[in-house]
Amino acid sequence: MKNIGLQYLRAISCMGILVAHSFAYAEMNFEGMVVADMLDYFGRYGMLQYVAFFFMITGYFTARQIREGNCTVKEYYVKRLKSIYPTYWSIAAFCIFINLSFFHNFETTEEFLNHYFF
């Protein structure tokens, strides 16, 4: 049985995390406005609450899935790794490519390796 209400709460908390990160790291200039105080508060303090709430709901769904016998703990983590790792490595490769293409001009392979790994 799916609990759609909790899925919606998890989606809302995920969006809250994205918005909080946007306000925390984007250099928005709202000087002298009441909105600036709200955005600053939301960016600093709201993010922590959304992260905790997101992990709480995700933990509930994980525990329920394992408890109902849909999968074992090992099967769950293997399934998660199979779904997360390809995306992780794709994004990492893309970021390294962008970084190398636009921000660094390495003369030798040794210079590249020293910059990224040592």
Side-chain angles (χ1 to χ4, degrees):
M1 180 173 88
K2 293 254 184 198
N3 193 335
I4 300 299
L6 284 178
Q7 292 285 10
Y8 285 136
L9 286 176
R10 186 164 71 165
I12 289 169
S13 66
C14 184
M15 287 185 280
I17 292 168
L18 291 173
V19 169
H21 277 292
S22 298
F23 288 143
Y25 297 112
E27 295 178 9
M28 303 178 85
N29 191 2
F30 291 108
E31 291 179 21
M33 297 176 63
V34 177
V35 176
D37 295 333
M38 287 181 3
L39 294 179
D40 188 40
Y41 180 82
F42 183 75
R44 289 185 187 181
Y45 305 108
M47 182 171 56
L48 298 174
Q49 294 167 350
Y50 280 115
V51 169
F53 192 63
F54 177 79
F55 281 128
M56 222 170 30
I57 293 173
T58 301
Y60 167 76
F61 281 119
T62 302
R64 193 173 92 180
Q65 203 175 31
I66 292 169
R67 186 175 179 196
E68 289 176 354
N70 295 338
C71 62
T72 64
V73 174
K74 182 180 177 182
E75 289 171 348
Y76 174 79
Y77 282 111
V78 167
K79 187 172 80 172
R80 293 297 296 163
L81 286 175
K82 284 182 180 178
S83 68
I84 292 172
Y85 261 48
T87 305
Y88 171 78
W89 287 113
S90 300
I91 296 298
F94 177 74
C95 289
I96 289 172
F97 171 75
I98 293 298
N99 193 358
L100 290 175
S101 299
F102 298 108
F103 301 113
H104 293 290
N105 190 10
F106 296 113
E107 298 293 329
T108 64
T109 305
E110 183 179 346
E111 190 178 329
F112 166 77
L113 292 174
N114 284 333
H115 180 75
Y116 281 105
F117 298 108
F118 301 110

